[in-house]
Amino acid sequence: MANIRLDPEETERLLGFGPERKKTRRELCVVCSAAVAVITVAIGLTAVWVSVSLAYADSGKRNVILMISDGFGPASETFARTYKQYINKLEYNYVSPLDKILVGSSRTRSSDSLVTDSAAGATAFSCAIKTYNSAIGVNPKKVPCGTVLESAKHFGLATGLVVTSRITDATPASFSAHVVHREMESDIAVQQIGDNPLGRQVDLIIGGGRCFFLPNHTEGSCRIDERDLIKESKKREFKFFSTRQEFDDLEPAKDKLPLLGLFTLDHMSYEIDRDPIQEPSLKEMSEKALKFLESATSNSDKGFFLVIEGSRIDMAAHVNDPATHVHEILAYHDTISLVKKYVDEHPGTVMISVSDHETGGLSLARQVSSEYPDYLWYPEPITRVKNSSYILSQALVSYQNKDRKEYIKGIIRDGLGIEDFEDYDISWLNENRTQMEYEIFLANMTSFRAQLGWATHGHSAIDVNLYAHGQNTDILRGNHENTDIGDFIAEYLNLDLDFITNKLNSNNDTFHQVTDSTHFHVDRLSHHHGFISDDN
Ligand SMILES: *[C@@H]1O[C@H](CO)[C@@H](O)[C@H](O)[C@H]1NC(C)=O
Ligand SMILES: *[C@@H]1O[C@H](CO)[C@@H](O)[C@H](O)[C@H]1NC(C)=O
Ligand SMILES: *[C@@H]1O[C@H](CO)[C@@H](O)[C@H](O)[C@H]1NC(C)=O
Ligand SMILES: *[C@@H]1O[C@H](CO)[C@@H](O)[C@H](O)[C@H]1NC(C)=O
Ligand SMILES: *[C@@H]1O[C@H](CO)[C@@H](O)[C@H](O)[C@H]1NC(C)=O
């Protein structure tokens, strides 16, 4: 898992502008001025065009929906598209909801590595700066940086975060908290409910990760201290909910922001395992969020800023589990369709969809021998999988009865839909191993039969696809640094990130404790999870 570490001078040389964002903003402004010049010329050209563009430019109210597909590289999009074509018997030229809005690509490196993690990746979007891997809303010098979400809030927009991971996980945290290391999730939760120098910044929070909000002496808690953040959130006016029923009953007509909804102690279930009676889908959560944010801003000339993350696309790729990965992506596609429709119906709304990085080094078709190959990959074995390898590996760890070998065969037949397993597979799985070893082995049984290859259990450095829909998004065409996404949002919503950075860094001892590296501690939950499912 060793990344190439670079010293600061080398970083500055390679990045061309040093770790801070100054030049990116300037560069983007050059793009902006160029775009403005083009628009000015175009205005001179046709009267019809002028009236259309003015109607858009003057609609005043602007919303931004930033969709993040964590750990989703271009091969994963091809995977999802071809899988969908296979199961739905679609034409060869079928275009997915993402394909329709492809505008370019995003370069993902962080300030200290050619391969980013999700923390530095999300901070590039939120603060528009390159920072070090594991940094949450802080710059390479560990100084808090103002985020687009905080700046949007300051200027009177409503704000929201919708995720399928723990809400304290790196991506949502990088918009709503400032800590020196992603594993400080107890501190992240404290800041997310509004206990920070800026006060409450997020009006709507929906996802998993309740364990970091429960006092350490209670069942299911993973906090380091005795604080009851659910109780504290209610004092800070949040309406708290944690069940599907409560979620369904929420209506803007009777309920008001701020809302805090945490369905599970840890991450929400993978889509392939999700029980719809217990947990809503990413699309359903996003639909509810849009309804509330629209309603909360209906009497305002200011819109909203919403982050929606398909958080676990990445985690399934870390263990190289193809069926779980593709179901996460298809759930993300469904959410993209919903948000696209929202953009079409609400001029002034812009959506961007981007990944922080690729995960897994997926290749579609794995040629094993050097003989003349059959150029093929087989979607069929993937259609037979009923459960994530994560759930199946949990079952294997807990089953210790005498008939364990028969139980393992049952898991392979019912869970993976595989009949042609070998004695070797059964005896390998019958040994005492860690859950993650089982998980990776089971996932490989499907990848092998589908002829999919994976190059890594970690992230890779390749550029990821950039998608966008709505006015002004032409600026995003082409190849961009990930920090340009943050700059685009700041420009579009007319934000001032430096103002928030200054506010965050005005003398405040309480706050500086959690951004000081000497105070760094690792929360308990991180140990249970290990690097693969959590290093996303
Ligand atoms: C400093 O931070 C604390 C804790 O979040 C907060 O209660 C207080 O109002 C802040 N003080 C200033 C001067 O910003
Ligand atoms: C809970 O946290 C407090 C510090 O706030 C600590 O003193 C105590 O030992 C912890 N209790 C448990 C059960 O971890
Ligand atoms: C696998 O999924 C099926 C169908 O949803 C379910 O009935 C079964 O209980 C799951 N298996 C495990 C081990 O969770
Ligand atoms: C595997 O571990 C379990 C529990 O730790 C133990 O009961 C069992 O005897 C072990 N089996 C083997 C084959 O070592
Ligand atoms: C995947 O499974 C195949 C078939 O059992 C095996 O040959 C191969 O070594 C496995 N790959 C990994 C990475 O475990």
Side-chain angles (χ1 to χ4, degrees), residues 142-261:
K142 302 188 170 164
V143 176
C145 53
T147 73
V148 287
L149 185 145
E150 291 161 342
S151 184
K153 178 73 185 168
H154 177 77
F155 283 115
L157 282 78
T159 58
L161 295 173
V162 173
V163 301
T164 49
S165 63
R166 296 189 299 272
I167 195 68
T168 50
D169 208 38
T171 307
S174 297
F175 289 86
S176 52
H178 307 272
V179 295
V180 296
H181 197 286
R182 58 184 294 166
E183 286 179 0
M184 297 167 73
E185 293 188 54
S186 292
D187 297 313
I188 291 168
V190 165
Q191 294 183 34
Q192 286 176 323
I193 62 162
D195 186 353
N196 70 65
L198 304 173
R200 192 187 78 240
Q201 298 301 299
V202 201
D203 299 317
L204 175 146
I205 293 174
I206 311 180
R210 198 165 69 239
C211 78
F212 279 107
F213 294 72
L214 302 173
N216 66 355
H217 50 83
T218 59
E219 176 82 29
S221 168
C222 44
R223 279 199 71 73
I224 51 161
D225 59 25
E226 289 164 317
R227 287 178 71 168
D228 181 344
L229 295 192
I230 292 172
K231 205 162 150 192
E232 290 186 35
S233 75
K234 288 174 183 165
K235 280 202 192 119
R236 290 170 182 271
E237 282 158 24
F238 276 100
K239 182 184 172 73
F240 178 78
F241 60 96
S242 61
T243 66
R244 172 88 214 212
Q245 190 59 50
E246 290 169 303
F247 170 81
D248 289 342
D249 290 346
L250 288 172
E251 281 303 330
K254 57 180 178 62
D255 305 299
K256 294 270 160 295
L257 299 179
L259 294 176
L260 173 62

Side-chain angles (χ1 to χ4, degrees), residues 72-82 84-85 90-104 329 332-333 336-337 340 351 353 465-469:
F72 173 74
S76 294
E77 172 56 14
T78 312
F79 177 25
R81 184 203 305 129
T82 46
K84 216 163 165 179
Q85 286 172 310
L90 302 174
E91 293 293 318
Y92 76 96
N93 60 356
Y94 160 74
V95 179
S96 86
L98 278 174
D99 295 332
K100 277 190 193 128
I101 56 170
L102 178 71
V103 292
I329 298 167
Y332 187 76
H333 275 183
I336 288 281
S337 299
K340 259 177 74 187
M351 73 181 279
S353 171
N465 286 343
L466 175 57
Y467 306 93
H469 188 52

Side-chain angles (χ1 to χ4, degrees), residues 4-117:
I4 300 170
R5 298 277 161 196
L6 301 164
D7 65 35
E9 289 77 36
E10 180 66 355
T11 294
E12 297 215 1
R13 190 183 66 75
L14 274 165
L15 294 178
F17 53 83
E20 317 264 348
R21 75 171 193 284
K22 294 178 188 74
K23 195 163 170 194
T24 349
R25 283 182 77 83
R26 264 207 305 280
E27 274 167 356
L28 198 80
C29 284
V30 172
V31 178
C32 292
S33 346
V36 167
V38 170
I39 288 166
T40 314
V41 170
I43 283 171
L45 293 181
T46 78
V48 176
W49 198 92
V50 169
S51 65
V52 170
S53 72
L54 283 184
Y56 268 55
D58 290 348
S59 63
K61 197 154 165 171
R62 292 182 165 199
N63 307 316
V64 169
I65 304 163
L66 174 60
M67 306 208 34
I68 302 176
S69 43
D70 201 308
F72 173 74
S76 294
E77 172 56 14
T78 312
F79 177 25
R81 184 203 305 129
T82 46
Y83 182 76
K84 216 163 165 179
Q85 286 172 310
Y86 177 82
I87 55 172
N88 297 323
K89 301 191 166 57
L90 302 174
E91 293 293 318
Y92 76 96
N93 60 356
Y94 160 74
V95 179
S96 86
L98 278 174
D99 295 332
K100 277 190 193 128
I101 56 170
L102 178 71
V103 292
S105 55
S106 169
R107 296 147 55 131
T108 60
R109 65 156 301 162
S110 65
S111 72
D112 67 341
S113 171
L114 293 175
V115 183
T116 189
D117 78 332

Side-chain angles (χ1 to χ4, degrees), residues 190 194-199 236 503 506-512:
V190 165
D195 186 353
N196 70 65
L198 304 173
R236 290 170 182 271
K503 225 175 149 184
S506 59
N507 211 4
N508 192 319
D509 290 343
T510 321
F511 186 63
H512 278 139

